[in-house]
Every structure is written in structure tokens, then in C-alpha cells.
Amino acid sequence: MRYSKYFIPTYKEIPAEAEVTSHQLMLRAGLIRKLTSGIYTYLPAGLRCIKKVENIIRDEMNRAGAIELLMPAFQPAELWQESGRWDYYGRELLRFKDRHNRDACIGPTHEEIITDLVRKEIQSYKQMPVNFYQIQTKFRDEIRPRFGLMRGREFIMKDAYSFDVDDEGANRSYEIMHEAYSNIFGRCGLKFRAVEADTGAIGGSYSHEFMVLADTGEDQIISCTNCDYAANLEKAEVKPPELPSENGGQPMLTLEPVDTPHIKSVEEVTSFLGISPDRLIKTLIFVADKTVVAALVRGDHELNEAKLTAFLGAQSLELADAQLVEETTGAPIGFAGPAGLKVKLVADHAIKKMKNFVTGGNKKDVHLKNVNLDRDFEVDLFADLRIITPQDSCPKCGGEIQFGRGIEVGHIFKLGTKYSHALKALFLDEQGKEIPIIMGCYGIGVGRTVAAAIEQNHDKDGIIFPIPVAPFEVTVLPLQLHETAVKETAEKIYKELSDNDIDVLLDDRDERAGVKFNDADLLGIPVRVTVGVKGVKNGLVEIKMRGESASNSVPLQEASAIIREKVKSLYDSLK
Ligand code: ATP
Ligand code: MG
């Protein structure tokens, strides 16, 4: 490609609208332009990055035996009503009516559509296992679109759906996708980890998120420093403490109400009473599917709503409002406690260990000291209800855990029979019995993957693209175009590389050297070849790798071969 005939509108200023580096750099390097909130045009060079990621995905999906098709963006409401999601998908689903007044939506995902196809086309166990995938534009009316392609409203996703006759087959399909995803993100040159994610009703370790490790990631992940356990924060299990408790021998003291005027929060109560937060119990009132529930966690712990929801088997979980708290506890927010409450009480395991602790008094401006389990109140059920902390140990091996941040680029999920059951995607098994197909679904955000690659690989001058994702592999910069020798040498290298299937950008613009260097750095092209008048006189050109500070001069005759070798070694380093 010749820069002068191409379109890469770069700029120097840091765009005020962009909060994270990848977004800033994608705008500055001329990869994307915003149309409106969460909606972007992929400019030519940006589109090249997108296509490169798509090709890697396609290649690995095909190798894994998945079959490509393409489904519509338009989706009729009927299918969503059949699955039940029309009612509870919420406002991310962009709904509208067509000219015949029929309800429809733009697809945020395609479980309904693929299940409809499969129920019509697949009737026998002989037609499975099968895995269909597509690379297609999704629409989700995200509440907070941000970070450019990272969280857009319109975005390109690879989504795949597997169909199996039994659990064993479904688990195998899942493992195949797990491996394909590892290959894909490895080939994209990303540092990533597959972490266990929340499976909600499915259970088991059949949901993994593929996280690109980056400090600006929206997701918090924990990993073990000793074994391979990694999980997103919501999912990470906490091992119950060992019993009997360390306070076991301590006598129970007399229950004692204390006046705590306007003192409500954990910080306020503990500093007022001069105790540490682990001596207090927080009582949180929730509404789980219309039932009021009180959840207890230790003062220094955070309740994990995902765990509580899954534990209660609830569809929805909401913190009670002020009025309901008052009705339930007899006191305004800030004074709830378990003693005397007439609702279901669930408690985190850590509570079991506590003695003579502080709780709210279920009375305005009152707390209780020396509260004790079983003597003053009873817990209906104990469970792992809290968010893991750095003091906890690995649930798998007991090793030390570390906290980090990640960007979720992919998600694999065993669906079971959720959709096949609802939409009646049934098949005849070997015994001639009609049963629902077992499904899995597997997504990758294509644009988010490109953004994550930039988030992970940049410096103050711009992007440092991993070569498989870069819009061009090599850029050739002739510094003095009016010098025939420079121009001809640059053209010759450009031709030789292009003829050998290297993606080269020849910067043949009539621009100052500084401008060309800056743009090459900003765009993050992995190999830069500089052709200058002095070098050419001595039969030399300069090669510099974007990720390294040193450059080296190589003889003209060997330049093309050396550059090709450099490109190859960049790919090889990712194997
Ligand atoms: P998130 O928790 O980030 O909202 P999700 O759980 O809604 O993601 P999935 O439904 O599993 O995401 O979608 C599969 C993949 O699509 C995600 O792993 C992510 O890479 C990508 N993706 C999801 N939402 C967006 C978005 N708004 N913009 C860009 N990519 C997205
Ligand atoms: Mg989402």
C-alpha cells in the first residue's frame, strides 16, 4: 500500500473524549472514528486490524471443526418470547416495530436464531455433534458505552453455538472451544488467562472468560501464585474457615444495647466503639424474587451479590429500599441486625467463627454488643456469600492469591438445555426417544480484541502492535523522495516485500522525516525500514523494530531477505 493513495488520518492531540489509552490511540492513529455514542466507523487501517483478527479466529474455528454461516441482524420478537428473554433481557435489547406493527429487535446475540434453525434442520443424533459460528455485527444498547471499541453499542462478534446429544459430548465441545480460544488469543500475541466465570444456574466449571491482562481492564480477576487457578472476582470461591473457631473457648458475654446516635456505617460504628471491623456483622436486607431475605457478612467483608443470587436460586436480587428496611427491621437503614428479625437469614461462613460481636439493634440509634450466634438468633443457611479478599487463600490449593485486572475478550459457556428446552429443539436418540439437544455458546469480541491488544502494547509514542494484529507488517520510509536513489531503493524494497506477501506500507508522502517517523510509531507497525540519502550512498538501509530502541543498518542487497526474516521471527516468537 502507498500511503499517498491510502487514508490514515492521524493527529497529535490526545482526544479529550477518550479515557483509556487504546481508545486515544485508535483515534489518533486513524483507525476509527466515532459516529455517535458507542458507534464507530472502522477506517481503512483499523479495518485491516479487524480483518486480521477475524482471519485468525476463522482459521482456528475451522480447524476446531466449527462451520461458518451468517445469521441476520434483524430478529423477530416471537423467538425471544418463546425463549422468555423478551421480558427480561432489559433495555440493552434494541426493540422496534416493523411497518406491519410486528415487534422485532436487532440481535445482541443469536441463541434464539440458531436454535430455531437447528430445531428445523436437525432431528437425529446422527447429525451431531455440530458447531456453527458466524462473525457478525451485534447491537447492544449498553447503558454506558465507553472506551471506544471496548464497549460499543454496535460491535463485531464471533459467536459459535455447539449442539450435542449428551453431556459428555457437550463437555468435549466445550473443551475444544477452550483450546481454540487459547490458540486464537495466543496467535493474536496477547497475554491472557482463561478464568472461571459465573455459571449461574448451570453450575460446574463450565464458563470461562478469556481475559487480556491490563491494568485498565474493567474486570477484576484473581489468580493463584502457586497453581493454575484463576477466576473472576465474582466467581472466586472462598473456602469456609476451619472449625472449631479460634474463639471457641471464649465465654459468651451478656448482650448489651449501646446508644449509637446517627452512627450507621461500619466505619462509624467501629470507630465509635473502638473495635476492628471484623468484630461486627453487617445485616443486608434484600428482595430476592419478591421474598425478603437478610444476608449477614462480617464487617470487613463484602457481600457478593452473584453468589447470593445463585445460592438462593433467584432470578432477581435487589437491595431493599429505605421503606422496606424500616418495615422489616423496625429501624431506618444503618441499624439492622439479625436478632429478632422475622425473615429468612442467610449468612456467610465466616460468621460461624465469631463470638461476642456487634450488630445493629433493629431500633433507631441502637447497636448491640456481645451478640452470639444460636443464643441471640439463628441462621437458616450458611454459604459462601462474600467477595474473596487478598487475605484469603486459593480455593483449589490453599496457595497465595493475587489480584489483577483484565479485559474480557472471549467467553465460553455451557448452556445445557436452556434454549433447546424452551424452543423445543429436540432430536431422536439411538433408542428413538425424543430429547432436547445440549448446547454451548462461545463469543469473542473482535473489536475489543484489537483494543485490548493496544491497551497491552503501547508506549508514549503510540501503538506497538503484535504483528498478527498490525494493519501492516512493515513500513518503508524514504526520507528524501526527490533523491532518485532514495526513491528507487524504497520502491525496490517495497516491491520485493509485496511480491513475497508481506503487508507493506510505503510512506511515499511528500512529508518531513519527523512526520513520517511519528506516524509510523503512532500506528505501531512492527518493522520500520528507513531509506536515507546517506545510507543509500554507502549501500545501507536502516531497520528498526517498533518494540526495540536500537536500530541497525543492513546492506541494500540483503535488506529484503533480512526484513522477511525479522517478520517471520516475530510470528515465530508467538508460537
Ligand atoms: P461484558 O461483561 O463485557 O458486558 P458480556 O458478558 O455481555 O460482556 P458476552 O455476551 O459473553 O459478553 O459476549 C461475548 C463477547 O463479546 C465478550 O467476551 C466481549 O469480548 C464481546 N462484547 C460484549 N459486549 C461488548 C460490547 N458492548 N462492545 C464490544 N464487545 C463486546
Ligand atoms: Mg454485557
Side-chain angles (χ1 to χ4, degrees):
M1 193 62 68
R2 289 168 189 279
Y3 207 136
S4 64
K5 305 262 174 333
Y6 202 51
F7 185 71
I8 312 178
T10 60
Y11 57 84
K12 278 210 190 84
E13 310 74 43
I14 295 173
E17 69 195 271
E19 295 164 64
V20 294
T21 310
S22 58
H23 187 195
Q24 292 169 2
L25 289 173
M26 289 187 91
L27 291 167
R28 287 183 53 207
L31 302 181
I32 56 168
R33 285 295 180 264
K34 178 169 159 179
L35 173 65
T36 181
S37 171
I39 299 186
Y40 290 84
T41 294
Y42 308 106
L43 294 181
L47 186 62
R48 290 180 76 100
C49 303
I50 294 278
K51 293 288 169 201
K52 293 215 168 172
V53 172
E54 286 184 6
N55 288 341
I56 292 172
I57 294 174
R58 190 171 277 119
D59 188 47
E60 290 295 333
M61 291 302 288
N62 293 345
R63 271 170 204 264
I67 309 169
E68 187 170 9
L69 46 57
L70 183 59
M71 291 180 271
F74 176 102
Q75 305 191 1
E78 286 79 10
L79 289 175
W80 285 75
Q81 283 152 356
E82 251 188 277
S83 74
R85 286 209 284 186
W86 187 255
D87 289 331
Y88 68 82
Y89 201 95
R91 298 184 65 187
E92 256 182 43
L93 186 63
L94 187 69
R95 303 158 206 249
F96 58 94
K97 285 183 191 293
D98 69 10
R99 69 200 297 164
H100 306 292
N101 215 27
R102 289 190 198 112
D103 283 317
C105 62
I106 306 193
T109 177
H110 279 71
E111 282 81 7
E112 280 79 1
I113 311 307
I114 195 77
T115 310
D116 177 60
L117 181 83
V118 163
R119 72 178 168 184
K120 290 172 179 156
E121 306 296 333
I122 292 188
Q123 272 81 39
S124 159
Y125 69 94
K126 290 181 191 153
Q127 294 166 284
M128 286 175 281
V130 65
N131 185 339
F132 293 114
Y133 79 95
Q134 64 174 346
I135 298 175
Q136 191 259 5
T137 298
K138 301 276 182 273
F139 193 93
R140 294 183 183 179
D141 209 351
E142 298 275 357
I143 183 163
R144 275 221 295 159
R146 56 185 188 155
F147 305 161
L149 300 193
M150 209 74 97
R151 184 168 297 284
R153 293 198 294 159
E154 185 176 305
F155 59 97
I156 300 171
M157 195 202 285
K158 185 287 300 177
D159 45 331
Y161 306 89
S162 65
F163 297 86
D164 277 275
V165 298
D166 55 22
D167 242 15
E168 215 188 331
N171 297 351
R172 207 174 310 123
S173 295
Y174 184 89
E175 290 311 324
I176 292 171
M177 282 297 104
H178 194 296
E179 198 187 323
Y181 274 44
S182 298
N183 295 343
I184 289 166
F185 297 120
R187 277 181 65 182
C188 287
L190 296 166
K191 288 188 271 307
F192 69 96
R193 261 191 109 143
V195 306
E196 286 186 17
D198 191 25
T199 42
I202 303 276
S205 52
Y206 285 108
S207 174
H208 283 87
E209 288 169 351
F210 284 76
M211 295 284 189
V212 167
L213 309 175
D215 293 339
T216 49
E218 284 185 307
D219 294 286
Q220 258 199 299
I221 51 185
I222 67 125
S223 54
C224 181
T225 53
N226 184 50
C227 73
D228 64 356
Y229 182 80
N232 82 18
L233 194 65
E234 285 214 325
K235 161 82 185 185
E237 288 163 50
V238 181
K239 272 198 174 159
E242 304 213 341
L243 294 174
S245 80
E246 59 206 24
N247 301 333
Q250 213 176 298
M252 287 191 203
L253 303 176
T254 315
L255 191 66
E256 188 188 328
V258 275
D259 285 336
T260 48
H262 307 294
I263 292 173
K264 301 177 183 178
S265 68
V266 173
E267 295 72 44
E268 289 165 350
V269 177
T270 53
S271 74
F272 181 77
L273 297 176
I275 55 165
S276 60
D278 62 357
R279 304 300 313 134
L280 177 140
I281 285 185
K282 282 191 277 196
T283 306
L284 301 154
I285 311 292
F286 284 97
V287 185
D289 294 346
K290 298 188 182 140
T291 307
V292 181
V293 179
L296 310 181
V297 287
R298 211 168 76 183
D300 58 332
H301 289 156
E302 284 301 323
L303 183 100
N304 182 329
E305 292 196 14
K307 286 183 182 175
L308 181 60
T309 311
F311 176 66
L312 296 171
Q315 288 285 337
S316 73
L317 184 81
E318 263 177 67
L319 260 180
D321 58 18
Q323 194 190 340
L324 186 60
V325 169
E326 187 122 26
E327 280 169 28
T328 311
T329 68
I333 289 178
F335 301 98
L341 275 193
K342 301 254 172 332
V343 295
K344 184 172 181 173
L345 273 185
V346 294
D348 179 67
H349 288 305
I351 305 286
K352 271 190 223 159
K353 248 188 139 170
M354 297 173 68
K355 253 197 177 164
N356 300 322
F357 43 84
V358 171
T359 71
N362 293 330
K363 203 168 155 194
K364 188 170 185 297
D365 296 341
V366 175
H367 278 79
L368 299 177
K369 268 165 81 170
N370 301 331
V371 183
N372 280 287
L373 191 63
D374 297 333
R375 183 190 69 182
D376 304 317
F377 68 97
E378 271 175 22
V379 165
D380 292 304
L381 290 162
F382 283 98
D384 169 20
L385 294 182
R386 66 181 175 92
I387 293 175
I388 198 164
T389 69
Q391 287 75 45
D392 291 304
S393 51
C394 169
K396 198 164 154 192
C397 77
E400 198 181 315
I401 55 165
Q402 61 185 11
F403 278 60
R405 299 199 82 86
I407 300 163
E408 179 201 318
V409 285
H411 191 181
I412 58 176
F413 202 97
K414 187 174 167 194
L415 289 168
T417 55
K418 183 174 169 188
Y419 294 93
S420 52
H421 181 77
L423 278 92
K424 299 195 184 60
L426 310 172
F427 73 101
L428 291 177
D429 70 6
E430 273 181 88
Q431 282 73 44
K433 207 171 116 211
E434 201 170 50
I435 52 173
I437 300 174
I438 303 183
M439 291 174 59
C441 69
Y442 317 92
I444 293 181
V446 177
R448 193 184 279 186
T449 301
V450 175
I454 298 172
E455 205 58 50
Q456 208 174 53
N457 301 284
H458 62 262
D459 63 11
K460 64 174 190 359
D461 299 320
I463 305 168
I464 308 176
F465 266 121
I467 197 161
V469 182
F472 298 95
E473 294 162 320
V474 177
T475 179
V476 178
L477 306 192
L479 297 184
Q480 303 86 3
L481 270 177
H482 51 274
E483 295 279 345
T484 317
V486 168
K487 192 171 175 204
E488 282 176 358
T489 303
E491 289 283 348
K492 181 166 170 281
I493 295 173
Y494 173 60
K495 183 168 185 315
E496 280 173 7
L497 293 175
S498 304
D499 287 350
N500 281 284
D501 292 329
I502 303 275
D503 279 336
V504 202
L505 180 69
L506 173 67
D507 195 345
D508 59 346
R509 293 176 301 168
D510 187 13
E511 284 285 1
R512 284 180 296 114
V515 172
K516 294 188 180 186
F517 285 133
N518 287 347
D519 281 344
D521 279 350
L522 182 57
L523 202 53
I525 302 175
V527 185
R528 187 185 82 191
V529 185
T530 309
V531 185
V533 72
K534 253 199 232 145
V536 171
K537 264 193 197 132
N538 297 320
L540 297 168
V541 295
E542 185 204 80
I543 299 179
K544 184 179 169 298
M545 311 298 274
R546 176 64 180 88
E548 297 167 11
S549 49
S551 60
N552 59 330
S553 293
V554 302
L556 261 174
Q557 286 73 18
E558 293 163 39
S560 153
I562 294 172
I563 296 160
R564 276 153 50 204
E565 195 45 49
K566 294 263 183 208
V567 168
K568 185 172 172 299
S569 71
L570 284 175
Y571 281 101
D572 287 347
S573 70
L574 298 173
K575 281 186 183 154

